[in-house]
Amino acid sequence: MHVPEEIRADAAALIDHHALGRWKPNDADRRVAGALFRFLETGLPLTGEQIRSALTHPEPADPVDERLVRLLHGTAALLDDAPEADGPAGRDAVDHVCLLLDALALSRPAESSDR
């Protein structure tokens, strides 16, 4: 999946689920989001390579949520396709993923106690 509309919809759904407490990110989710959030704070654009790098650190006891992994892999593929990523739908999708990363990176560890 690297169709911008699907990425945007999936990111928006995860943002909503997190905000409503239906999805509680675990430590691995927050670590991946935090690594990408720190990169975003540099002001440089997010790249597919940055996402893949953040996902390469395995967390066997506390794996990254499957939906988040799927979303981030799709986002990496979208970012690898520069013409599609630079279009309005691609930018909107990446913006939504960045909003999700912000929310996860800034979420409190106590929120992750139950899945």
Side-chain angles (χ1 to χ4, degrees):
M1 162 199 61
H2 76 273
V3 176
E5 293 80 9
E6 291 176 15
I7 291 170
R8 182 196 179 285
D10 287 348
L14 284 174
I15 290 167
D16 288 346
H17 289 179
H18 180 247
L20 296 171
R22 287 188 243 153
W23 174 47
K24 299 190 186 315
N26 63 32
D27 288 340
D29 299 331
R30 283 193 313 281
R31 272 193 293 276
V32 166
L36 293 170
F37 180 75
R38 283 187 295 282
F39 179 75
L40 289 170
E41 284 184 314
T42 67
L44 297 172
L46 191 60
T47 66
E49 185 57 38
Q50 285 292 333
I51 292 172
R52 284 186 288 277
S53 176
L55 289 171
T56 60
H57 303 290
E59 300 290 339
D62 201 13
V64 177
D65 186 275
E66 169 185 329
R67 296 168 298 176
L68 181 59
V69 169
R70 204 171 40 247
L71 174 66
L72 291 176
H73 278 297
T75 304
L78 171 64
L79 290 168
D80 290 341
D81 183 355
E84 191 168 16
D86 290 338
R91 286 192 307 270
D92 189 43
V94 173
D95 286 347
H96 274 75
V97 171
C98 291
L99 289 172
L100 174 63
L101 294 172
D102 291 351
L104 295 180
L106 299 173
S107 65
R108 294 185 327 252
E111 293 177 351
S112 70
S113 59
D114 295 325
R115 271 194 150 236

